Structure formats: structure tokens, C-alpha cells
Amino acid sequence: MSATIIWDDKALKKALKRLIEQCPQRTEEALTQACTDIEAEAKERCPVDTGELRRSITSDVIKEDEGHYIGRVGTNLDYAVYTHEGTGLYSRTNKGRKDVPWHYKDEQGKWHTTYGQVAQPFLQEAADAKSDEIVKYFRRIIRDERANNKA
């Protein structure tokens, strides 16, 4: 199971399209730095029990056909989406289980009763926290390219 966070800024998208066409290597470097920054912030904000979720957070940049780049930050753990989005009555999407409370048995055989898990959107919060800084990376490249083109 996975969750996708899309950070969509129309002005930034337009500027990035020009940037990718004019200087793809610098674009990829800036996107890699942006993903690395969000990854570090997500690890700071990630709730910790065993530390497995925090350790699983990674980032990468993929270059697709037609010169498109995709920056990804996330985790491959199945339970991460439940931690991030919440469950039951506390689901951020309001699609959580409504027949509450429910009961479950843990690995040690102990029974628990729950109404759900409160959402802890550490990835979304990390992306939001770094957004201004990331825009500055790309603006700097655009400014540098304009200066180089005038010279």
C-alpha cells in the first residue's frame, strides 16, 4: 500500500519546465538536493517506536523519457500509510473504519481495543516545511541562467 503526496505549484512548474530544457544537469542536482532535504526533515518528524519506519525513509530522482524528472521521498513499509494518514475515526481522508471500537490480538497474544490511530503526516509536514527553501534552489538556478545568457 502506498500514499502519494503531490506538491503542485503552477508557477514553479512553469519555471521548472524552462529550467529542464535549458540546464538539465543543474535541475537534477537541485531536485536531488530538494529530495535529500525533505528526506532528512521527514526522518526528524517521523514517529519512532522501534526506529524501523524512520530508517526506511529514502529519496531518489528518476529521469523519465521526454526529459521529465520525478523526485520521490518515502518508505516501502506497508504500515507507513496507516501511520501517515491515520486509521478509524482519526483517518485524514475520512475513509477510516467506522465500526468502532474494534479488537485485535498482538504478536504476544495480548488483546487490544482501538478506535483508530491518529494521523501523523510526517512526509507531508516535511515537504511543507522545506517548500520555501526548495523554491529558492530553483530560483537561484533560473537567476544564474539568466545572468549567464546576458553575459
Side-chain angles (χ1 to χ4, degrees), residues 13-37:
K13 265 185 166 176
K14 186 177 177 183
L16 286 176
K17 185 176 180 184
R18 281 195 331 267
L19 186 60
I20 290 169
E21 292 167 357
Q22 294 172 1
C23 47
Q25 180 159 354
R26 290 199 61 203
T27 302
E28 186 173 0
E29 290 168 6
L31 187 54
T32 299
Q33 183 62 53
C35 288
T36 300
D37 288 356

Side-chain angles (χ1 to χ4, degrees), residues 36-46 122 125-126 129-130:
T36 300
D37 288 356
I38 293 171
E39 176 186 340
E41 186 70 22
K43 286 180 177 183
E44 287 292 318
R45 293 173 179 268
C46 180
F122 57 96
E125 291 172 354
K130 293 296 182 177

